[in-house]
């Protein structure tokens, strides 16, 4: 069983860390979340029947644990600035258009990081993990319609924020 635990850790550590990092927005906190998830996985291994079951379990537990940590962190005063996704060694998944424009990809990462916890989580699961709304609903324990609503509103916010033009390092608000 220890061998299986190590193998699963190597196979899925990037996914677990990447999901956690995008939700908690702090690489060191994401490492703690990932470590906790894999400790819990070791205890749960006998009850996980297949590789697909393991992946589903890892995503579900990572998402819930990361959301809990992000909410807990919101209740505590912060003494440091937000950390960019780009500071970690885990490679960023990027769409073909983003690969040719790293500045645009970074702007998008920053805007996703600024979303509230649940819409950010839905975006991460949909576009990073490529899960469908039904799978996301199951992972988050919410109705599919709620997932679709979060997704639609988050995309609308992201589109509006991406259309803003940066001025001296800050985004300009569009005139109403």
């Amino acid at each position: 069983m220890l061998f299986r635990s190590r193998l699963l850790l190597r196979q899925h550590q990037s996914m677990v860390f990447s999901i956690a990092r995008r939700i908690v927005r702090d690489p060191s906190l994401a490492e703690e979340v990932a470590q906790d998830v894999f400790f819990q996985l070791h205890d749960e291994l006998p009850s996980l029947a297949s590789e697909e079951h393991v992946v589903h379990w890892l995503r579900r537990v990572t998402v819930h644990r990361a959301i809990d940590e992000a909410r807990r962190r919101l209740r505590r005063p912060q003494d440091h600035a937000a950390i960019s996704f780009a500071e970690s060694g885990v490679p960023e998944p990027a769409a073909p258009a983003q690969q040719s424009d790293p500045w645009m990809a970074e702007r998008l990462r920053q805007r996703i990081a600024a979303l509230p916890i649940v819409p950010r989580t839905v975006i991460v699961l949909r576009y990073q993990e490529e899960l469908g709304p039904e799978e996301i609903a199951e992972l988050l324990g919410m109705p599919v319609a709620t997932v679709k609503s979060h997704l639609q509103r988050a995309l609308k916010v992201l589109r509006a924020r991406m259309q803003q033009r940066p001025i001296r390092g800050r985004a300009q608000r569009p005139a109403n």
Side-chain angles (χ1 to χ4, degrees):
M1 188 160 80
L2 183 59
F3 175 74
R4 184 172 181 216
S5 295
R6 288 182 183 171
L7 180 63
L8 291 171
L9 172 70
R10 278 194 296 271
Q11 288 175 332
H12 302 294
Q13 67 184 359
S14 280
M15 174 193 69
V16 169
F17 177 74
S18 185
I19 291 170
R21 185 187 52 171
R22 282 178 173 72
I23 294 170
V24 299
R25 300 184 296 190
D26 179 342
S28 62
L29 186 57
E31 286 176 11
E32 289 179 33
V33 168
Q35 185 176 25
D36 289 345
V37 168
F38 281 107
F39 279 136
Q40 189 176 350
L41 173 66
H42 180 73
D43 295 338
E44 295 291 323
L45 264 179
S47 67
L48 301 175
S50 67
E51 180 69 20
E52 293 80 23
H53 192 189
V54 169
V55 171
H56 175 78
W57 185 92
L58 284 170
R59 283 183 178 138
R60 183 173 46 85
V61 172
T62 302
V63 164
H64 286 284
R65 189 127 339 168
I67 288 173
D68 289 346
E69 284 299 321
R71 286 180 175 155
R72 193 173 300 127
R73 190 171 186 218
L74 285 174
R75 287 184 225 127
R76 286 187 253 143
Q78 290 182 326
D79 296 330
H80 57 337
I83 299 171
S84 169
F85 288 153
E87 292 179 2
S88 171
V90 174
E92 294 288 333
Q98 293 175 346
Q99 291 172 352
S100 63
D101 191 350
W103 181 79
M104 185 67 80
E106 179 59 26
R107 282 185 63 212
L108 181 58
R109 275 191 290 280
Q110 290 171 354
R111 272 125 184 111
I112 291 170
L115 290 171
I117 296 167
V118 174
R120 180 171 66 234
T121 302
V122 170
I123 291 288
V124 167
L125 292 173
R126 178 68 184 107
Y127 295 103
Q128 175 190 329
E129 294 301 310
E130 299 178 353
L131 299 180
E134 296 79 13
E135 294 169 297
I136 296 169
E138 184 180 338
L139 281 175
L140 297 178
M142 63 177 58
V144 175
T146 304
V147 169
K148 289 179 178 180
S149 177
H150 279 299
L151 185 59
Q152 192 173 36
R153 278 188 249 135
L155 289 173
K156 184 177 180 180
V157 167
L158 289 173
R159 279 187 203 105
R161 290 180 182 173
M162 290 302 287
Q163 290 175 354
Q164 295 173 344
R165 295 194 177 151
I167 296 179
R168 295 183 197 170
R170 299 189 71 179
Q172 176 186 8
R173 296 184 182 265
N176 289 347

